[in-house]
Amino acid sequence: MSLRDVKVSPEVPKLQMTPMIDIVFNLLAFFIITFRIPAVEGDFNIKMPVNAPPSSESMDETVPLEITLRSNEAGDLTAIVFGQIPLGTDMGRLRAEVFDYLQTGAGDISKTEAEFTADGDLHYRYLIDAITAVSGYVNPENQVVKLIENIKFTPPK
Amino acid sequence: MTPMIDIVFLLMTFFIMVINFSQAESNEAVHLPDSELAQPPETPPSEPMTVQVDADENIYLGSARCWLDPASIQPGARPLGEVLSEELNMKKVVSEIRPEDITLIIRADAEASVGFVQRVIQTCQSVGIVTFTLRAKHGGEGFAGSPESEGGFQPL
């Protein structure tokens, strides 16, 4: 019998799937564990020019609305004062006052500036609530209505 | 086996597609205050720089940990003004970006104190930064409500 007659069955190389599946499952586990639904974040612009004169001395035509936020030692809000009007701790009243001020035509939105004076201990979330209250609101049609966009802080004492 | 691998690969593709690298700048220790008006800006700032302040009033500028008061010095932390100046100098040399071109994004924790955040702003002002934005998280428990009566808001 010659060698030519020997039938050698071709050996099909077997693909090793197990390591690949291991790696894929590890990657999948990593992605599932680290997956977070990203929170939507947004910004409030504030005007803080260096060495700016106080609003009363500035030569531009901006109309400052003074908003004072008072706190206790624990950092909780104890009082909101809009100009000279005490509003308790109700942000809704602050928004209503700003709304009424602009609605009556006493102030031009583009030239009106909200100037915040806050106690140092106050928690930052109350300041953001107050900025939210004067910046605008979401109407029943789910549209954002802008009120005052010029926000400023008085320097800390 | 094949259908299972198909599904696994589809899941992999989904997670790879939705992974959000922009969240890499956010600090897990900082819980932003909520606001119904917080929406992502239509045009993101061209030269942003982010300062983060956590509830314990630790300050982070990028990966650098900073302090404001010598009394609150912690190991590995450096003065905020010094770190800012270095960053700004590097930006000026590398890309000719001036401090006035920078938009400083402040990501402060809801429980941080306003006075501390204002002092951070003052320190940033002292190195020439003039544009600031306060970052908040959309929705949640923040103040919400509409003052509208019938007819809506119509400024005169």
Side-chain angles (χ1 to χ4, degrees), chain A residues 20-89:
Chain A
M20 188 195 74
I21 292 169
D22 285 351
I23 288 170
V24 167
F25 271 106
N26 273 320
L27 280 170
L28 190 62
F30 167 77
F31 281 121
I32 289 171
I33 290 165
T34 59
F35 180 67
R36 274 194 317 130
I37 298 170
V40 179
E41 294 180 1
D43 296 330
F44 292 102
N45 297 323
I46 53 168
K47 278 171 65 180
M48 296 295 285
V50 185
N51 299 326
S55 304
S56 55
E57 296 172 18
S58 61
M59 298 302 287
D60 56 10
E61 294 176 357
T62 54
V63 182
L65 287 180
E66 290 176 11
I67 297 151
T68 308
L69 305 172
R70 297 272 172 240
S71 76
N72 57 20
E73 284 183 3
D76 294 319
L77 184 70
T78 54
I80 305 168
V81 182
F82 176 71
Q84 302 295 323
I85 309 165
L87 304 175
T89 57

Side-chain angles (χ1 to χ4, degrees), chain A residues 12 22 51 53 63-64 79 99 101 108 118 122 141 143 150 157:
Chain A
V12 179
D22 285 351
N51 299 326
V63 182
F99 180 81
Y101 175 82
D108 179 351
L122 184 73
E141 286 81 43
Q143 293 164 325
N150 300 323
K157 291 169 188 172

